Amino acid sequence: MVNTKAAAQGGGLRLASLNHISVVCRSLESSLAFYCDVLGFFPIRRPGSFDFDGAWLFNFGIGVHLLQAEDPESMPPKKTEIDPKDNHISFTCESLEVVQRRLKEMGIRYVQRRVEEGGIYVDQLFFHDPDGFMVEVCTCDNLPVIPLVPTPICKRAAAASKQQFTVPAVAVSDPAPAKTTGGGCVGEEVAASAMMACPEQACMQV
């Protein structure tokens, strides 16, 4: 479901969620081992009509599509320096200490950083996959999501920011449902009763 008002006003694309990232790899076998054994993804069925080697993985609500390079020798040199400002994908975790210990046990080199904002600390670990693509594991969810422009807030967005949102039951005698603006999932006028639920992937902040 999308924000139709924003689209009508020339806003962003009508997107719903992040589906997957694609990674071109020198060795499909090595990348499979890394993304499954280190990051915890699992293989899923891949369309059999593809005429090139690869693998589809899934976990944590997103997919990773591995693509075997046709000519691995022509790929850019593998990066050796771990630069936190480089392109990367980031994951949150239950315990950064456990992640750090496992990386040490597996012999995976990493760099550690800490960010402070208003007394809130975010710890970060950065490391490379077999082809030098950087992965981050962090406690970024410690920071609240503070939009810089007015945005509609829905139940799922509130839950994502660890804020509980409840709608008390109210007896309504008027047969016409009350209207509210900006309280729904897509920032449109919705009946007050419609705010009681927010189905999976049915909302978007823009």
Side-chain angles (χ1 to χ4, degrees), residues 141-142 156-165:
D141 52 346
N142 288 346
R156 284 181 58 78
S161 61
K162 298 182 179 180
Q163 297 177 357
Q164 185 175 2
F165 176 81

Short mmCIF file of all heavy atoms in Angstrom, two decimals, residues 141-142 156-165:
data_model
loop_
_atom_site.label_atom_id
_atom_site.label_comp_id
_atom_site.label_asym_id
_atom_site.label_seq_id
_atom_site.Cartn_x
_atom_site.Cartn_y
_atom_site.Cartn_z
N ASP A 141 19.58 0.77 16.32
CA ASP A 141 18.21 0.93 16.77
C ASP A 141 18.12 1.61 18.13
O ASP A 141 17.02 1.89 18.61
CB ASP A 141 17.48 -0.42 16.80
CG ASP A 141 18.24 -1.48 17.56
OD1 ASP A 141 19.43 -1.27 17.85
OD2 ASP A 141 17.64 -2.52 17.87
N ASN A 142 19.27 1.90 18.75
CA ASN A 142 19.26 2.70 19.98
C ASN A 142 18.81 4.13 19.70
O ASN A 142 18.25 4.81 20.57
CB ASN A 142 20.65 2.75 20.62
CG ASN A 142 21.04 1.42 21.26
OD1 ASN A 142 20.19 0.55 21.45
ND2 ASN A 142 22.31 1.27 21.58
N ARG A 156 2.65 0.34 12.91
CA ARG A 156 3.88 -0.40 12.67
C ARG A 156 5.10 0.48 12.84
O ARG A 156 6.14 0.04 13.33
CB ARG A 156 3.86 -1.02 11.27
CG ARG A 156 2.98 -2.25 11.17
CD ARG A 156 3.02 -2.83 9.78
NE ARG A 156 4.39 -3.19 9.39
CZ ARG A 156 5.01 -4.27 9.82
NH1 ARG A 156 4.40 -5.10 10.63
NH2 ARG A 156 6.24 -4.52 9.42
N ALA A 157 5.01 1.75 12.43
CA ALA A 157 6.14 2.66 12.61
C ALA A 157 6.40 2.89 14.08
O ALA A 157 7.55 2.96 14.54
CB ALA A 157 5.86 3.99 11.92
N ALA A 158 5.33 3.01 14.87
CA ALA A 158 5.51 3.20 16.31
C ALA A 158 6.15 1.99 16.95
O ALA A 158 7.03 2.09 17.80
CB ALA A 158 4.15 3.50 16.96
N ALA A 159 5.71 0.79 16.51
CA ALA A 159 6.30 -0.43 17.07
C ALA A 159 7.76 -0.54 16.71
O ALA A 159 8.58 -0.99 17.50
CB ALA A 159 5.53 -1.65 16.56
N ALA A 160 8.12 -0.11 15.50
CA ALA A 160 9.52 -0.19 15.05
C ALA A 160 10.42 0.69 15.90
O ALA A 160 11.59 0.41 16.09
CB ALA A 160 9.62 0.21 13.59
N SER A 161 9.87 1.78 16.42
CA SER A 161 10.66 2.68 17.25
C SER A 161 10.49 2.36 18.73
O SER A 161 10.78 3.19 19.59
CB SER A 161 10.27 4.13 16.99
OG SER A 161 8.90 4.33 17.29
N LYS A 162 9.95 1.15 19.02
CA LYS A 162 9.80 0.67 20.39
C LYS A 162 8.86 1.54 21.21
O LYS A 162 9.04 1.68 22.42
CB LYS A 162 11.17 0.59 21.08
CG LYS A 162 12.12 -0.37 20.42
CD LYS A 162 13.43 -0.45 21.18
CE LYS A 162 14.37 -1.43 20.52
NZ LYS A 162 15.65 -1.55 21.21
N GLN A 163 7.88 2.12 20.55
CA GLN A 163 6.88 2.89 21.26
C GLN A 163 5.57 2.16 21.13
O GLN A 163 5.14 1.83 20.04
CB GLN A 163 6.74 4.30 20.66
CG GLN A 163 8.00 5.13 20.80
CD GLN A 163 7.85 6.48 20.14
OE1 GLN A 163 6.82 6.75 19.54
NE2 GLN A 163 8.85 7.31 20.25
N GLN A 164 4.91 1.90 22.25
CA GLN A 164 3.66 1.17 22.22
C GLN A 164 2.54 2.11 21.82
O GLN A 164 2.44 3.22 22.31
CB GLN A 164 3.38 0.56 23.60
CG GLN A 164 2.13 -0.32 23.60
CD GLN A 164 1.96 -1.00 24.95
OE1 GLN A 164 2.74 -0.77 25.86
NE2 GLN A 164 0.94 -1.85 25.06
N PHE A 165 1.70 1.65 20.92
CA PHE A 165 0.58 2.45 20.43
C PHE A 165 -0.70 1.67 20.64
O PHE A 165 -0.81 0.54 20.19
CB PHE A 165 0.75 2.76 18.94
CG PHE A 165 -0.41 3.51 18.33
CD1 PHE A 165 -0.49 4.88 18.49
CD2 PHE A 165 -1.40 2.85 17.62
CE1 PHE A 165 -1.53 5.59 17.92
CE2 PHE A 165 -2.44 3.56 17.06
CZ PHE A 165 -2.51 4.92 17.21
#
